[in-house]
Amino acid sequence: MSKKEIIFVPALLLIFSLCVVSFWKLNSYLMPQKTVQKNSLLLKTNRPQGSLLHWDSEVSPNGLYRGDSYTGDYADYFNYYQLFITNLTTGNKQKVYAGDSHTLGWKWTDDSKIEIDYDCGSGCLATKILKTNESVSIADYQDGKMSEENGWKVKFTKSF
Amino acid sequence: MPKDNCSTQEGNQRQWLTIVLCNFGLNSLRVKASAKQGKTFLFFKKDDSDLKLIINDLIQKNQEPKSHKNWFWCGNALKGKSKLFEKELNLGSDIHYLEFWTDRNPEVEEITIKIEDLKRIPTVDNPKWTGNFKDDPEEILLARAIYGEMGGESYEAKVAVGWAIRNRVEDPKQRWGKTYHDVILQPFQFEPFNDPKKTVFKKITNPPTDDSIEGKAWQESFQAAMGVILGKATDPTKGANHFLVKNAHPWPSWAKEDKCTVEIGNSKFYKL
């Protein structure tokens, strides 16, 4: 064997082993990241997106659910007010209500029902009862569709 | 306590310490002090130490026997012992003078002044609610109403709601009250004010003042309120005093088409 071959073979082996180690290290470094990205993507669909302001957080009377309300951009008209319900057993979070800036607020009426309050003008209050597994958008109740037959209760108070 | 840097001095009946409260309410005062009896040498008795308290030109009298009536702490009666002055004054916000006069060198151990809680007046840059909407100036209360009712709507809609409120205030028959406070705080007329648990109540009682979306909406609501109150913004509602968001159905009996004066954005305005 020539002098060159004596150096070349171990050098080749060294480079090969370095490649194997580097690949193994890089893979183990990348793998968890891939998993995290995947999870965050999944969570993102069930979490409030964008820069939202968090206002309320209230647990249901039986302690199984938690409601959280947020407000976002007024420009996203029908999605300004968002209410999310989290199942505290499974951790699953779901948007149950999206409404405009006339939405007044919400409250638990029993273990699995929520009341949404909507400001429909001077001396006018509209309410709707939602179940925790329902999903409602105010965009579906425009131009007089906020009616009793659609599950809304509209109450007027005389001013004089 | 002015003990080390401005102690009482050997001297006859002199003004020693004056505390002036400027524009504070004075709830109560507590002063603890002692005064010594003058020493006797042969047939001569040195002058006693005495301390006088004057609150807003009124001398606090000493009722104890064998004491100078105008000196609440009288060395002849106290003989070096401490005596407490404690009084509920409940004086409203004003300028209050607390004067201490000394004769020779009595010792003041404690002065506790309880002042009335200061009422903060909310402003556009510091609109945090005091806990009582009556503390709001009318432009702040109107801005809260506009922000709660039309925060997400156009500037024109904000001015329109402001005018609907002003038209109630200026109603010749005075059906809703004489002031912005009467009108806005009338129960169940302006929903944002009705329930402290609702999100909107939290919004109007503590509007953000930063450069955020909410902060800008608050600033715009305040501008609309000022425009309405000062008359710089003309009435786009043509005298309306009611409004309804078009979503709700059925509408109340008073919402007749001939009473509708204008439609702005998603709201209809009515003059009743």
Side-chain angles (χ1 to χ4, degrees):
Chain A
M1 278 172 90
S2 69
K3 204 175 178 182
K4 271 185 182 175
E5 279 174 331
I6 292 168
I7 298 166
F8 182 73
V9 172
L12 206 67
L13 277 169
L14 189 71
I15 290 165
F16 179 74
S17 54
L18 271 171
C19 283
V20 169
V21 169
S22 304
F23 178 76
W24 177 67
K25 278 279 179 192
L26 198 68
N27 201 34
S28 63
Y29 175 74
L30 285 174
M31 276 307 279
Q33 250 196 353
K34 276 181 189 167
T35 319
V36 168
Q37 275 177 358
K38 224 175 185 178
N39 286 342
S40 67
L41 267 174
L42 267 172
L43 290 170
K44 222 176 177 183
T45 54
N46 289 327
R47 282 184 186 279
Q49 294 176 42
S51 53
L52 297 180
L53 271 178
H54 182 239
W55 289 97
D56 319 289
S57 189
E58 205 178 319
V59 175
S60 63
N62 61 1
L64 289 179
Y65 302 99
R66 193 189 68 231
D68 291 275
S69 70
Y70 300 83
T71 59
D73 194 344
Y74 286 116
D76 192 4
Y77 194 84
F78 295 119
N79 211 24
Y80 165 76
Y81 193 99
Q82 298 175 30
L83 177 62
F84 284 81
I85 299 298
T86 307
N87 183 324
L88 296 173
T89 317
T90 63
N92 187 35
K93 194 168 186 171
Q94 187 192 335
K95 192 197 283 187
V96 294
Y97 175 81
D100 61 41
S101 62
H102 297 283
T103 308
L104 294 163
W106 67 282
K107 65 180 177 200
W108 288 102
T109 56
D110 64 30
D111 291 338
S112 59
K113 282 179 193 153
I114 303 142
E115 183 187 293
I116 296 283
D117 296 326
Y118 187 88
D119 185 358
C120 42
S122 51
C124 180
L125 172 68
T127 54
K128 185 175 174 68
I129 305 291
L130 298 181
K131 285 179 187 164
T132 48
N133 55 1
E134 261 185 293
S135 193
V136 161
S137 171
I138 209 77
D140 298 330
Y141 300 100
Q142 295 303 293
D143 297 318
K145 292 194 191 89
M146 198 176 262
S147 60
E148 210 165 305
E149 58 201 41
N150 287 329
W152 286 90
K153 198 176 159 190
V154 184
K155 190 181 153 194
F156 295 102
T157 307
K158 270 194 170 182
S159 65
F160 63 92
Chain B
M1 287 298 304
K3 204 170 181 180
D4 300 327
N5 61 352
C6 184
S7 59
T8 54
Q9 293 172 356
E10 275 292 341
N12 207 22
Q13 301 189 11
R14 56 178 67 185
Q15 195 169 8
W16 170 55
L17 172 70
T18 303
I19 299 167
V20 185
L21 301 174
C22 295
N23 298 325
F24 284 105
L26 177 57
N27 280 2
S28 64
L29 178 67
R30 180 188 153 97
V31 181
K32 197 176 177 187
S34 61
K36 287 176 187 167
Q37 196 179 27
K39 283 180 184 171
T40 310
F41 180 71
L42 294 175
F43 302 105
F44 303 101
K45 188 180 171 238
K46 263 191 168 181
D47 194 13
D48 304 317
S49 291
D50 304 304
L51 180 68
K52 185 191 284 184
L53 173 61
I54 307 170
I55 303 172
N56 290 343
D57 294 333
L58 283 173
I59 296 171
Q60 303 303 304
K61 300 282 184 182
N62 191 342
Q63 306 296 340
E64 285 176 40
K66 292 182 185 175
S67 59
H68 307 302
K69 299 297 167 204
N70 286 338
W71 297 81
F72 190 83
W73 290 268
C74 177
N76 192 39
L78 290 175
K79 297 184 173 77
K81 286 178 192 167
S82 290
K83 185 181 171 185
L84 186 69
F85 172 89
E86 201 166 21
K87 201 170 184 180
E88 290 290 325
L89 298 162
N90 297 320
L91 301 170
S93 181
D94 208 336
I95 297 177
H96 300 293
Y97 291 88
L98 308 174
E99 293 172 63
F100 291 90
W101 286 61
T102 58
D103 186 16
R104 293 194 62 230
N105 45 9
E107 270 189 34
V108 178
E109 296 159 33
E110 178 195 331
I111 300 176
T112 306
I113 301 165
K114 196 174 173 192
I115 57 169
E116 193 181 56
D117 290 337
L118 288 176
K119 267 189 185 170
R120 188 179 53 79
I121 297 170
T123 62
V124 61
D125 296 321
N126 186 10
K128 198 171 182 349
W129 188 45
T130 61
N132 188 351
F133 287 115
K134 287 180 180 167
D135 293 338
D136 282 348
E138 59 184 18
E139 68 275 13
I140 294 294
L141 187 67
L142 183 60
R144 288 192 208 280
I146 294 170
Y147 178 53
E149 293 283 354
M150 293 285 169
E153 302 293 339
S154 65
Y155 182 72
E156 193 191 6
K158 287 184 176 80
V159 169
V161 162
W163 266 104
I165 292 169
R166 179 171 165 172
N167 291 333
R168 286 191 181 198
V169 175
E170 292 176 351
D171 178 51
K173 293 177 195 165
Q174 292 184 349
R175 287 173 289 180
W176 301 282
K178 294 176 190 170
T179 66
Y180 284 93
H181 285 77
D182 291 346
V183 168
I184 294 168
L185 301 176
Q186 187 184 355
F188 308 111
Q189 282 307 300
F190 298 96
E191 280 297 333
F193 293 86
N194 283 337
D195 187 352
K197 286 182 182 168
K198 284 179 188 163
T199 314
V200 72
F201 189 92
K202 291 168 193 168
K203 265 178 67 174
I204 64 161
T205 49
N206 195 11
T209 52
D210 53 13
D211 207 25
S212 64
I213 293 157
E214 294 297 337
K216 283 174 187 164
W218 163 249
Q219 289 289 341
E220 205 175 74
S221 302
F222 179 75
Q223 277 171 26
M226 288 301 284
V228 168
I229 289 172
L230 298 174
K232 285 181 180 170
T234 49
D235 183 2
T237 70
K238 298 170 191 160
N241 40 39
H242 285 69
F243 57 93
L244 287 173
V245 178
K246 288 192 284 179
N247 303 352
H249 183 82
W251 286 25
S253 54
W254 51 259
K256 289 172 184 143
E257 274 312 302
D258 63 318
K259 301 280 182 194
C260 180
T261 56
V262 71
E263 210 174 306
I264 298 171
N266 197 24
S267 301
K268 278 184 153 189
F269 289 79
Y270 296 85
K271 186 179 180 181
L272 305 186

